[in-house]
Amino acid sequence: KIDRIRQHLEGLGYPYRDVPCQPEGFRRISFTSPMREKFFGEFWWTLNTRQLEIVVDECRFWDGSQDARGNGSFSFHSRTKGDADFIQYAASATGRTATLYTTQREGGIDYTVRVQPRSQYVSGKPDRKWITKVPNPEGFKYCFQVPSGALVLRRNGKVFVTGNCG
């Protein structure tokens, strides 16, 4: 993290202070950030695809852990559901598989987003033999169309793309 923050700050031309501190081997790096946000707020949801790519690529180094198998998978960890939701969105919007998990701890809920490299399938299997029609006892029909031809949904922490029906 130390090398990474130095590289970013120097690449951007930001002045910073870098001083050793205790315990031995630790450093205190300080700088004035142009954005003073602790959480992923409204601004972050407006990023374009290239910007989302950068966020996803960087989050593994700051609040994440990389898969030891070297397959490109990683986990993002947060105590803030909104941040976990955003990272899941950013990963899904850039073609990755991202699943949100929760763990109840004594001090609160931990949110973990497991991110895998590029998805192999965007909209499911090519044949329709796996579709089963189930009658709805309420009698309502949950079927509609959107202009794009595809809809991104999340159910039980899993993001998926579905096509129109109608």
Side-chain angles (χ1 to χ4, degrees):
K1 287 184 178 181
I2 293 170
D3 290 339
R4 193 159 194 87
I5 192 71
R6 283 179 184 151
Q7 176 188 358
H8 284 316
L9 291 170
E10 289 168 8
L12 292 168
Y14 275 60
Y16 65 95
R17 291 185 57 218
D18 182 356
V19 295
C21 60
Q22 295 297 322
E24 182 71 29
F26 281 73
R27 317 258 338 145
R28 176 171 291 132
I29 299 175
S30 57
F31 61 96
T32 302
S33 173
M35 293 180 67
R36 296 177 183 231
E37 295 182 353
K38 186 166 175 67
F39 305 105
F40 292 112
E42 288 181 36
F43 164 82
W44 298 91
W45 292 85
T46 66
L47 298 180
N48 65 38
T49 303
R50 179 67 190 123
Q51 293 166 325
L52 290 171
E53 288 274 356
I54 293 167
V55 169
V56 174
D57 289 341
E58 282 297 315
C59 77
R60 77 180 71 209
F61 298 106
W62 304 102
D63 291 313
S65 57
Q66 297 189 58
D67 192 305
R69 295 173 289 185
N71 62 7
S73 298
F74 69 93
S75 296
F76 171 83
H77 309 277
S78 181
R79 277 283 172 106
T80 306
K81 183 167 188 315
D83 286 358
D85 284 342
F86 172 73
I87 293 299
Q88 185 184 32
Y89 157 75
S92 297
T94 55
R96 296 166 174 91
T97 300
T99 306
L100 176 63
Y101 297 93
T102 59
T103 305
Q104 182 67 48
R105 305 242 187 239
E106 188 174 313
I109 299 174
D110 287 343
Y111 299 95
T112 301
V113 180
R114 293 206 180 113
V115 180
Q116 296 189 21
R118 305 273 177 224
S119 299
Q120 286 186 323
Y121 303 101
V122 175
S123 59
K125 297 180 181 179
D127 64 44
R128 301 254 185 233
K129 294 176 186 169
W130 54 275
I131 296 175
T132 304
K133 290 186 178 185
V134 178
N136 184 348
E138 299 171 339
F140 295 113
K141 296 192 185 294
Y142 300 96
C143 194
F144 50 90
Q145 287 185 291
V146 294
S148 68
L151 186 62
V152 179
L153 302 173
R154 179 170 68 180
R155 182 174 185 221
N156 296 329
K158 315 298 192 274
V159 172
F160 60 97
V161 178
T162 183
N164 285 327
C165 61

